[in-house]
Amino acid sequence: MKIVPPGRGPVTLRDVAEHAQVSIATASNALTGARRVGPDSVERVLRSAAELGYRPNGVARSLRTGLHRSIGLVIPDVTNPFWAGMVSVIEGLADESGFQLSLVNTGFDAGRESASLTRLAGSVDGVLLFSTNPRATMLAPALGGGLPIVAVDEGFELEGIGGVYSDNVGGGRLAAEHLVDAGGTVFGLLAGPASLTTAAQRSAGFAAGLAGRGVDPSRLHRVTAPYSFEGGREGVRRMLDRHPEVDALFACTDNQAIGATFEAHDLGRLVPDDLLVCGFDDISWASRITPALTTLRQDSAGMARRAFEQLVELVTHGGAPEVTVFPVSLVERASTRRVTSV
Amino acid sequence: MKIVPPGRGPVTLRDVAEHAQVSIATASNALTGARRVGPDSVERVLRSAAELGYRPNGVARSLRTGLHRSIGLVIPDVTNPFWAGMVSVIEGLADESGFQLSLVNTGFDAGRESASLTRLAGSVDGVLLFSTNPRATMLAPALGGGLPIVAVDEGFELEGIGGVYSDNVGGGRLAAEHLVDAGGTVFGLLAGPASLTTAAQRSAGFAAGLAGRGVDPSRLHRVTAPYSFEGGREGVRRMLDRHPEVDALFACTDNQAIGATFEAHDLGRLVPDDLLVCGFDDISWASRITPALTTLRQDSAGMARRAFEQLVELVTHGGAPEVTVFPVSLVERASTRRVTSV
DNA sequence: ATGAAAGCGCTAACAA
DNA sequence: TTGTTAGCGCTTTCAT
């Protein structure tokens, strides 16, 4: 069982061919099934390969075929539970399909994003891009190579690449309507960095939703903060400092919403009684904290799957890039449910 | 600026050489600095390369040199904040050193772990293995290839591979002593799956610590549960169901401890007054929940850095594998601080 | 200091 | 159905 050849390194296709008494081409075809091979030969080749412990050299194969069976995953922050969940789903799918996953964590740095894209171009067949939305021109070099890209979650303003997004505008509107219905009168919007399309869209949807409910713009106060727990803490502090009359808060992200909830608590403001809070994402921690967080659920698993499948499609059959928008749904929990409700 | 050649694909070294009027070998050497090259040639080559937009083909280079400038990261669950944090640190270091990162998420499946190791063997220079601890024999094929491996966090019982671990036994002991000091009288141990070395070691340390404090073994009750929030919930339910007299709980993981805290709350047991709770890891959520969780802090960033550096050392200079053990420290918070303390 | 050429392991033309 | 052979793009002897 351990016939691993003498001194030298790994077994090559040539070794297998010799051992099976066929040409190297036949060995290759028997293994890959690229063209018909006599049943007897195929049998011998398979046996030899197993016996010698042959492992095809992927690098050589890549050099020859130009394919890598590998995709890149460019993400702003693995530490964020929302993205971590999607990474997990995508990794599972990639593994099933025999693709490797090259992970890049940009830390919201647009420079790293474009740099990694150019670097990945040489070693992956395509990339799933959770963009920090750098100007498209920065990415021209990477895209010039015709690297298939599917943008996910965070929008990416460029023609010719696929996209999988949530209905962020609709979600923002739902949040606004819900907060009004729950008894909010003065509204705080904890937006994300301006460069993030999700932040821009959710904010826009929120403002539109309030307007639709007849809320005067003067009753909407906006603050910008990073997409993180600490961002939420710090953001809400600024918000309540400047506008203590705010009694309903929409955060563009659950991370922020949770941070805001804790900070509000530390500032002596009870959620939901003194402050209604609504987040976005529905990460698992949203339902764990007290009070449980009302939020807009994104179908992250569905988006991850769709994005992966579309990328594989682009890579293997080279179809036309598509854009898919997933609906979001309101998940009502304690953070917007006042006991003293009407 | 856009002299990218006619119709065909990417610029090759040959193109650069021709443009610079030197041999292909000289072009290579000018670019990599492998051997001395006349200053004038080096100048021309560099200019040509820049002008043509030359990007070296990493695959071809790998085939020739046998190096990939890529490392594998095999982890049980990216979704777990503790591991996600380490992934983030490692990714940053890899990027700095010009290594790519191939991520594998095993989902605690030993089969996937060994399968991925064999697959990675062909495309990375080494791997950081957060093992689910399959029998070492399963991995023989992967290791036969002489693939450099550094085990991290979860121990891996095999000679000849590096390791970076926390002092899990010591941590377990500290937890025991602290819970005794905080007023615990009957102890619950929420252990992890038997296959995980961290679970085994922390449990052993905990039992030893109790014994050291003169606690009779009959006052220690043990339950096994997955390393997850839900595992913690479900585990503590079983625990309190069978042994309602338990008034101090040690969970092998913060995730479990937090789940346990919430479940205890739902069962009407106040933490810390009815139940002291101590976790392990010090993930960021530990200090966010109410009551804030007492836990054993691991130096995850330090471990990640050490592991990465050791792996790079093994890959580039092939030194001898080492084992490093990091100390852990008790972080005392509200979950073990009774108001009615002595 | 430079060039010519071999070849890493594999797949895909082209022949037979 | 099978074999022979030409490279994929690069690094690296071996000559010069």
Side-chain angles (χ1 to χ4, degrees), chain B residues 31-98:
Chain B
L31 256 11
T32 65
R35 73 176 183 193
R36 287 207 64 76
V37 171
D40 39 335
S41 310
V42 83
E43 155 94 21
R44 288 213 309 287
V45 170
L46 258 39
R47 261 245 289 286
S48 300
E51 207 165 319
L52 299 178
Y54 171 67
R55 318 243 82 223
N57 180 325
V59 174
R61 181 176 288 173
S62 287
L63 181 60
R64 190 56 235 252
T65 63
L67 298 176
H68 310 268
R69 292 216 67 85
S70 166
I71 67 172
L73 182 49
V74 179
I75 221 168
D77 180 17
V78 234
T79 269
N80 181 312
F82 180 71
W83 286 315
M86 297 190 77
V87 170
S88 166
V89 172
I90 291 166
E91 200 280 340
L93 295 169
D95 183 74
E96 275 176 25
S97 325

Side-chain angles (χ1 to χ4, degrees), chain B residues 253-275:
Chain B
T253 267
D254 280 354
N255 253 0
Q256 295 174 301
I258 294 172
T261 299
F262 283 64
E263 184 68 21
H265 178 267
D266 291 355
L267 293 173
R269 312 259 302 208
L270 285 173
V271 174
D273 293 318
D274 300 334
L275 185 69

Side-chain angles (χ1 to χ4, degrees), chain A residues 55 57-60 62-64 68 70 77-79 81 84-85 87-88 91-92 94-95 98-106 112 116 118-120 122-124 229-230 233 255 258 262 265 283-285 287-290, chain B residues 55 57-60 62-64 68 70 77-79 81 84-85 87-88 91-92 94-95 98-106 112 116 118-120 122-124 229-230 233 255 258 262 265 283-285 287-290:
Chain A
R55 315 244 84 225
N57 181 325
V59 175
S62 287
L63 181 58
R64 190 56 238 250
H68 310 268
S70 167
D77 180 16
V78 234
T79 267
V87 170
S88 166
E91 200 280 341
D95 183 74
F99 280 83
Q100 294 207 157
L101 208 64
S102 263
L103 182 78
V104 176
N105 195 248
T106 65
R112 280 204 58 191
S116 64
T118 10
R119 278 204 343 209
L120 284 173
S123 61
V124 301
F229 179 88
E230 288 71 21
R233 278 202 106 110
N255 253 1
I258 294 173
F262 281 65
H265 178 267
I283 63 178
S284 53
W285 293 95
S287 56
R288 294 177 185 167
I289 65 162
T290 309
Chain B
R55 318 243 82 223
N57 180 325
V59 174
S62 287
L63 181 60
R64 190 56 235 252
H68 310 268
S70 166
D77 180 17
V78 234
T79 269
V87 170
S88 166
E91 200 280 340
D95 183 74
F99 279 85
Q100 294 207 159
L101 208 64
S102 263
L103 182 78
V104 177
N105 194 249
T106 65
R112 281 203 59 190
S116 65
T118 12
R119 279 206 341 210
L120 284 173
S123 60
V124 301
F229 179 86
E230 288 71 20
R233 280 201 105 109
N255 253 0
I258 294 172
F262 283 64
H265 178 267
I283 62 177
S284 53
W285 294 94
S287 57
R288 293 176 187 168
I289 65 161
T290 310

